Amino acid sequence: TFLPLMVGRAIMGIGCGFGLAIDPMYIAEISPPSCRGMMVSCSEIGINVGITLGFASYGLRADIAWRCMLLVGGIFPVAMLFLIAFVMPESPRWLITRDRVAEAEDVLRSVNPEGHDVAKTVSEIEVDLARDQQSVWMYFHRDPGHLRLLVLGLLTPVVQQLCGVNVIQYLLVFVLEQSHVEGTGSQLACLMILGVVKTLYNIWGGQLLDLYGRRPMMLFSCAGMSLALVALAFLFQSTESPPWLAMSALSAYFCFFSLGMGPGAWLLPSEVFPTRVRGSAMSLATTLHLIVSSLLITYALSMTNFIGWSASFMVLAGFTVLSFVFFYVLLPESKGESLEDMHLLFSASAKSSEN
């Protein structure tokens, strides 16, 4: 019946909210700086695998499709429970905050390359924690760089949603219908192509964030998404555009999203916040992300009915251009930096901007 479904969905939503906040933060805290982008992107890759499996259910009979989605959603958490209990180590930074330094050293030895200076890393974490003993307000108020860090970390997941990715994903069947892709079989094939492409490009995007850096990839991603959304807007002005053109523009949008904004929107907040407030700040960033996502998804179809698909894509393109400006102004390059040095990076960036 309806009530048990809603209760179960609410419980599942709480679990997903915890996962969105904890997954990237935990991975960032146990990953070496040289491959942190690729490692944290695994969280976004997992989300896209789930989205693609959801697309696959579109070809099933309506009365069993949703049951299959729920069944698949129950398999992976069981595997994760096993990994959490028997494989995953505790975060070394959390252990140090609890004065369990010896355990933290063991974890750092196990997750870093041989020869890594564990004692130096432990010392840097302890210094970072000691520096953050003042009130959270004073920490962010005393230095413009720290305030920039706070704004970037909290708003990056929100900016991701303003670029329209969840709106387009939730309304993708409507978009395909408006693009003259007719028939369940054809629509299913398009959904699977887009889901697989988006997942594969997320894997590549995580590697590029480590290879070329956060700043260039986020700017490249925003610029590419803007162009793809403008192309979609022009295509939807015509009633005679062939379906393959819309599919090409959609594929380009998801590719550009996955090369930067997709994994980067969770990588940046997971690495910029200071250790003492990282958990609380990630929770707040995730909450803002989910609130904006819910509002956009709730009113997106009404917006398309009111102003049309073409104008809706132009609105999303406008938000994406603003996202480019947001990252251009606030985001310094953090590739290869330790979590404990992020405050120095943002302070130096703020001072150079003032000069």
Side-chain angles (χ1 to χ4, degrees):
T1 59
F2 183 74
L3 181 60
L5 278 175
M6 290 299 99
V7 172
R9 181 65 184 89
I11 295 172
M12 186 171 66
I14 293 171
C16 289
F18 285 163
L20 277 176
I22 294 171
D23 287 359
M25 179 179 67
Y26 170 80
I27 298 171
E29 290 191 349
I30 66 167
S31 301
S34 60
C35 62
R36 191 165 56 233
M38 180 64 232
M39 297 299 293
V40 174
S41 70
C42 290
S43 176
E44 180 72 10
I45 293 167
I47 292 172
N48 280 279
V49 170
I51 291 171
T52 305
L53 291 174
F55 286 163
S57 69
Y58 181 70
L60 301 176
R61 210 173 64 225
D63 60 330
I64 64 171
W66 64 272
R67 291 182 170 89
C68 290
M69 283 195 289
L70 293 179
L71 176 63
V72 172
I75 295 173
F76 289 104
V78 173
M80 282 304 303
L81 284 173
F82 175 83
L83 293 174
I84 291 169
F86 300 106
V87 178
M88 292 170 58
E90 184 54 83
S91 164
R93 287 164 176 82
W94 182 86
L95 290 171
I96 291 174
T97 63
R98 298 300 186 273
D99 295 323
R100 294 159 62 178
V101 177
E103 294 177 60
E105 290 175 344
D106 291 338
V107 173
L108 288 168
R109 289 190 189 95
S110 67
V111 299
N112 282 286
E114 187 175 351
H116 177 78
D117 193 342
V118 171
K120 179 183 177 183
T121 302
V122 170
S123 176
E124 290 175 348
I125 296 172
E126 291 175 334
V127 169
D128 186 51
L129 289 170
R131 184 183 59 250
D132 296 343
Q133 290 305 310
Q134 60 188 303
S135 71
V136 174
W137 166 249
M138 286 301 298
Y139 177 85
F140 290 113
H141 179 69
R142 69 175 184 178
D143 189 325
H146 294 171
L147 183 60
R148 176 181 291 198
L149 176 156
L150 177 67
V151 172
L152 180 76
L154 290 180
L155 294 188
T156 295
V158 173
V159 168
Q160 183 200 61
Q161 287 305 299
L162 292 176
C163 292
V165 63
N166 273 4
V167 170
I168 294 174
Q169 283 180 162
Y170 274 87
L171 301 181
L172 200 47
V173 173
F174 294 96
V175 175
L176 293 174
E177 288 175 351
Q178 294 294 318
S179 305
H180 312 296
V181 178
E182 300 175 353
T184 302
S186 298
Q187 291 174 357
L188 175 61
C190 290
L191 289 172
M192 293 304 298
I193 290 171
L194 292 172
V196 171
V197 166
K198 187 166 178 278
T199 302
L200 293 176
Y201 269 77
N202 259 288
I203 297 173
W204 191 24
Q207 297 172 339
L208 294 178
L209 286 166
D210 285 327
L211 181 61
Y212 294 111
R214 282 60 160 157
R215 181 179 170 85
M217 292 311 301
M218 294 298 282
L219 295 177
F220 176 74
S221 178
C222 290
M225 285 191 294
S226 301
L227 294 175
L229 288 167
V230 170
L232 282 167
F234 279 106
L235 288 171
F236 273 73
Q237 280 188 328
S238 171
T239 58
E240 300 179 357
S241 298
W244 67 267
L245 277 178
M247 270 295 292
S248 298
L250 284 169
S251 298
Y253 171 82
F254 284 128
C255 288
F256 282 116
F257 173 85
S258 300
L259 289 177
M261 184 66 80
W266 296 109
L267 170 63
L268 292 175
S270 71
E271 66 181 8
V272 301
F273 293 123
T275 300
R276 192 166 70 89
V277 301
R278 187 174 294 123
S280 301
M282 278 295 295
S283 298
L284 180 55
T286 302
T287 301
L288 294 174
H289 165 91
L290 293 174
I291 290 172
V292 173
S293 175
S294 299
L295 290 173
L296 288 172
I297 293 167
T298 300
Y299 295 106
L301 196 55
S302 299
M303 179 179 71
T304 61
N305 291 332
F306 182 67
I307 65 174
W309 286 97
S310 180
S312 298
F313 284 125
M314 287 301 295
V315 169
L316 294 177
F319 279 125
T320 309
V321 170
L322 292 177
S323 301
F324 181 96
V325 176
F326 174 82
F327 291 116
Y328 185 83
V329 172
L330 293 180
L331 178 60
E333 184 50 65
S334 57
K335 180 185 75 169
E337 298 285 345
S338 70
L339 299 181
E340 286 67 43
D341 286 341
M342 287 296 171
H343 72 286
L344 299 174
L345 176 68
F346 277 84
S347 296
S349 175
K351 290 177 182 177
S352 64
S353 298
E354 292 174 358
N355 295 334

